[in-house]
């Protein structure tokens, strides 16, 4: 019997497992990601059909890496385990406050500190009258890895925002960021990701466990006024999975590219393929890159108890894509 509390952030699901999972061995969150095979049957059960779907997303809560953090987290999707997740961090902030895991100021800001495989991140949760009204995701340092990399007949910029993304205008493949164009965008994303497999630009400079193109971001330019930019994007990650939100770590990776072009005063209004919105800015910088801050909100959608009937011939489920 496995229990979860589910949220959505900008339309993207986030299933937090709250009970029924064995301990995952390791001395750090990143170690536990390497050892998550011991609970992979739970990931499949909760993510695959008929209990989930090909675009499902969620997490296991694990011990934090050390003092100063409230939670540790392993993010997962239909194909495995992510190194970072901004929409999930926003949902974790709401979850920690609403479920009383962190004592919160009912009329102010409370930081929920989370250890993810990519490093320590923060969800700054704003409350008014005891109700959560907004969350700011403060990410790890984010930076540009390469520009104009050849990727299967198109050129993409590669940047890091806790995970590594290839980014290009949707117009580069003759499309727009619209639901009607999603099937073609998914096909192009798979092709681009395959073309960049093993590419030097997809190597993390400090830890090879963070290497590899995680997602492909297609964007449309909507408007620009100086360093105030408005774009619409869709992130296709893992093997053809579509982010319904504007993508938190992907927004951080986009912001790193834009900060190099427009300076640290850049501000990005980032819309998703379904019309939901994050706003992002550069909150600071280190020798390793900019510090992105991204505003969003998550909403609880349900509390669930899942079973696996030992006689069920489908077992932990299936995916059709």
């Amino acid at each position: 019997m496995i229990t979860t509390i589910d949220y959505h952030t900008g339309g993207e699901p986030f299933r937090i497992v709250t009970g029924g999972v064995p301990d995952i061995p390791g001395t750090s969150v990143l170690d536990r990601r390497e050892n998550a095979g011991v609970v992979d049957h739970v990931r499949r059960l909760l993510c695959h059909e008929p209990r989930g779907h090909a675009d499902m997303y969620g997490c296991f809560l694990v011990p934090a890496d050390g003092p100063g953090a409230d939670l540790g987290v392993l993010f997962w999707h239909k194909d495995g385990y992510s190194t970072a997740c901004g929409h999930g961090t926003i949902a974790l902030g709401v979850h920690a406050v609403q479920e009383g895991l962190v004592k919160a100021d009912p009329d102010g800001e409370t930081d929920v500190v989370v250890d993810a495989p990519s490093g320590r991140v923060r969800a700054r949760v704003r409350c008014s009258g005891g109700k959560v009204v907004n969350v700011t995701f403060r990410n790890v340092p984010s930076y540009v890895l390469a520009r104009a990399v050849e990727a299967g007949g198109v050129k993409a910029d590669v940047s890091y925002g806790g995970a590594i993304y290839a980014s290009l205008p949707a117009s580069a493949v003759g499309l727009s960021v619209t639901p009607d164009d999603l099937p073609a965008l998914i096909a192009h994303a798979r092709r681009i990701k395959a073309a960049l497999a093993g590419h030097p630009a997809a190597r993390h400079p400090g830890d090879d466990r963070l290497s590899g193109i995680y997602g492909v971001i297609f964007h449309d330019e909507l408007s620009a006024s100086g360093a105030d930019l408005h774009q619409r994007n869709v992130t296709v990650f893992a093997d053809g999975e579509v982010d319904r939100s504007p993508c938190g770590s992907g927004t951080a990776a986009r912001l790193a590219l834009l900060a190099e072009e427009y300076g640290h005063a850049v501000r990005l209004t980032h819309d998703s393929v379904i019309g939901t919105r994050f706003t992002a800015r550069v909150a600071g910088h280190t020798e390793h890159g900019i510090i992105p801050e991204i505003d969003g909100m998550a909403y609880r959608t349900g509390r669930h108890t899942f079973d696996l009937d030992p006689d069920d011939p489908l077992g932990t489920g299936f995916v059709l894509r």
Side-chain angles (χ1 to χ4, degrees):
M1 185 176 292
I2 299 161
T3 58
T4 73
I5 302 179
D6 286 19
Y7 296 80
H8 82 84
T9 307
E12 178 70 358
F14 194 68
R15 176 164 286 168
I16 301 173
V17 183
T18 55
V21 181
D23 289 339
I24 303 170
T27 58
S28 69
V29 171
L30 193 52
D31 286 344
R32 290 184 176 89
R33 179 174 179 261
E34 298 295 305
N35 298 326
V38 298
V39 295
D40 204 49
H41 60 290
V42 181
R43 176 191 65 82
R44 294 193 304 271
L45 182 79
L46 298 178
C47 195
H48 291 181
E49 297 183 52
R51 298 166 188 84
H53 50 82
D55 297 291
M56 192 63 196
Y57 203 99
C59 79
F60 298 129
L61 298 178
V62 298
D65 285 347
D70 301 298
L71 304 168
V73 62
L74 293 181
F75 301 113
W76 46 254
H77 48 75
K78 73 179 179 70
D79 300 305
Y81 298 87
S82 312
T83 60
C85 179
H87 94 271
T89 302
I90 290 170
L92 282 169
V94 174
H95 174 74
V97 168
Q98 288 184 339
E99 298 300 312
L101 304 181
V102 173
K103 185 177 181 180
D105 184 341
D107 286 291
E109 296 182 346
T110 302
D111 277 0
V112 178
V113 183
V114 179
D115 282 336
S118 58
R120 185 162 287 185
V121 297
R122 293 175 184 270
R124 182 165 298 130
V125 182
R126 294 179 184 84
C127 293
S128 178
K131 180 180 178 181
V132 179
V133 294
N134 182 261
V135 181
T136 296
F137 163 50
R138 187 179 178 97
N139 200 11
V140 297
S142 303
Y143 44 84
V144 177
L145 288 167
R147 292 278 189 176
V149 178
E150 176 64 33
V154 296
K155 293 188 183 297
D157 296 328
V158 180
S159 55
Y160 176 76
I164 298 175
Y165 293 89
S167 182
L168 68 160
S171 60
V173 292
L175 300 169
S176 298
V177 178
T178 64
D180 287 345
D181 281 351
L182 267 183
L185 289 169
I186 292 169
H188 282 294
R190 282 174 154 163
R191 176 178 57 81
I192 291 166
K193 185 172 180 176
L196 292 174
H199 195 284
R203 295 288 300 275
H204 187 274
D207 192 326
D208 203 45
R209 293 175 293 179
L210 302 175
S211 292
I213 299 293
Y214 174 57
V216 177
I217 303 173
F218 298 99
H219 67 274
D220 292 338
E221 302 281 352
L222 299 181
S223 67
S225 177
D228 290 315
L229 310 178
H230 187 188
Q231 299 180 351
R232 179 171 53 237
N233 91 100
V234 64
T235 299
V236 183
F237 64 96
D239 182 21
E241 191 160 343
V242 175
D243 197 328
R244 275 77 171 143
S245 82
C247 187
S249 56
T251 296
R254 288 287 305 146
L255 195 66
L257 292 166
L258 295 170
E260 190 176 82
E261 299 172 28
Y262 292 90
H264 288 172
V266 66
R267 290 174 295 275
L268 174 63
T269 300
H270 219 200
D271 292 352
S272 75
V273 69
I274 66 167
T276 54
R277 177 172 291 178
F278 290 162
T279 55
R281 61 197 166 275
V282 177
H285 57 91
T286 72
E287 60 179 325
H288 302 294
I290 65 162
I291 303 297
E293 283 191 345
I294 298 159
D295 297 327
M297 183 57 189
Y299 301 90
R300 188 171 57 226
T301 60
R303 300 175 185 268
H304 307 284
T305 301
F306 293 94
D307 294 309
L308 175 59
D309 187 327
D311 296 324
D312 186 346
L314 292 180
T316 56
F318 62 93
V319 287
L320 293 178
R321 172 166 57 76

